[in-house]
Amino acid sequence: ILPCVILLLLIYKFTKIPSYIFRKIAHVIAFSFVIIFINNSINISSLLLASLLLMIIVVIALKLVQRKFDIGSFLSEKSDGEIIQSFVMLLLMMDIVSVVGWYLFNHKEFSILSVLMWGVGDCFAAIIGITFGKHKLRNKTYEGSISMFITSFIAGFIYLYFICHYQFNTTLLYCLPASLIATLTELYTPSKYDTFTVPLSVLFTIILVSFLI
């Protein structure tokens, strides 16, 4: 975690990137941390215990730091308490997808895939949608939603086909419906809840497909 914080501090200090770009850099670091955390956990018990301890330590540390420093502006906080709430939701999401995908269905790669497709897709949806989006779709844009579908599919395909060595057709059968569901879920979910809804919708889609193929 410390190297990630240092990286964010350096970016914040030496660049003048827009706040939404900076938030998405933090987003990339966050979901990458979750993927590494799941991938390197020995078993589900150690993951849940480490997650709980990390949650307690980081929440206490953030509350102490907030008394002296305005970390809200540093991390482009939209509302009071958003940083702590987002961190807690991130860890809870990690715990849930790990228990369901890894423990209940014995597929750790399903848990990782659900986080990866959400993380990559959401990041590109926001950047492309805000930067280039001109056609409104609910409270999003067509450009952002299309970017969500394409990039989540690409990320999922690369992971399953090249890293997990799934067959080509099987990879397509997993990633196409999962990226579509991820896009629709992101479109209809309030932004403060998509940390939960998108990875879970991807995970349950993948599990459903696994029963059908």
Side-chain angles (χ1 to χ4, degrees):
I1 296 177
L2 184 58
C4 295
V5 173
I6 293 173
L7 176 61
L8 284 175
L9 286 170
L10 291 173
I11 294 172
Y12 182 76
K13 184 174 179 62
F14 295 107
T15 67
K16 294 182 179 180
I17 59 176
S19 61
Y20 72 92
I21 298 287
F22 185 79
R23 284 177 63 90
K24 289 307 164 182
I25 292 174
H27 171 88
V28 169
I29 291 173
F31 83 75
S32 299
F33 162 77
V34 169
I35 290 172
I36 293 170
F37 203 105
I38 297 173
N39 188 61
N40 289 282
S41 295
I42 299 172
N43 52 54
I44 193 67
S45 299
S46 63
L47 180 144
L48 295 175
L49 178 59
S51 173
L52 177 61
L53 292 174
L54 181 62
M55 186 184 302
I56 294 171
I57 292 170
V58 172
V59 168
I60 292 174
L62 285 173
K63 284 186 174 295
L64 292 175
V65 170
Q66 283 180 329
R67 293 180 180 180
K68 292 190 175 183
F69 301 99
D70 184 15
I71 62 173
S73 60
F74 162 58
L75 290 174
S76 303
E77 192 175 45
K78 292 181 178 179
S79 59
D80 291 339
E82 183 196 17
I83 295 171
I84 292 177
Q85 179 184 350
S86 296
F87 182 77
V88 170
M89 288 180 65
L90 183 74
L91 290 183
L92 288 176
M93 177 272 292
M94 178 184 74
D95 294 343
I96 294 171
V97 298
S98 297
V99 168
V100 176
W102 181 13
Y103 180 70
L104 295 180
F105 289 92
N106 199 32
H107 283 282
K108 182 190 278 192
E109 73 273 18
F110 286 1
S111 302
I112 294 173
L113 181 65
S114 64
V115 177
L116 177 66
M117 293 183 73
W118 158 70
V120 173
D122 183 78
C123 179
F124 278 95
I127 293 175
I128 299 299
I130 293 173
T131 306
F132 303 105
K134 295 180 180 179
H135 305 90
K136 288 295 182 181
L137 179 63
R138 294 178 61 83
N139 61 335
K140 313 287 185 178
T141 65
Y142 279 100
E143 292 83 355
S145 293
I146 292 171
S147 299
M148 173 89 180
F149 176 79
I150 293 173
T151 56
S152 62
F153 171 80
I154 291 173
F157 186 92
I158 290 173
Y159 176 69
L160 282 187
Y161 187 71
F162 291 102
I163 298 177
C164 298
H165 305 294
Y166 275 55
Q167 292 182 353
F168 182 84
N169 290 340
T170 303
T171 302
L172 288 178
L173 288 173
Y174 277 121
C175 292
L176 279 173
S179 56
L180 176 61
I181 293 299
T183 303
L184 293 174
T185 305
E186 195 268 345
L187 178 63
Y188 286 96
T189 302
S191 59
K192 63 180 179 179
Y193 298 123
D194 62 7
T195 300
F196 269 122
T197 59
V198 178
L200 287 174
S201 68
V202 170
L203 178 60
F204 287 122
T205 302
I206 295 166
I207 291 171
L208 177 60
V209 171
S210 71
F211 283 109
L212 299 175
I213 62 175

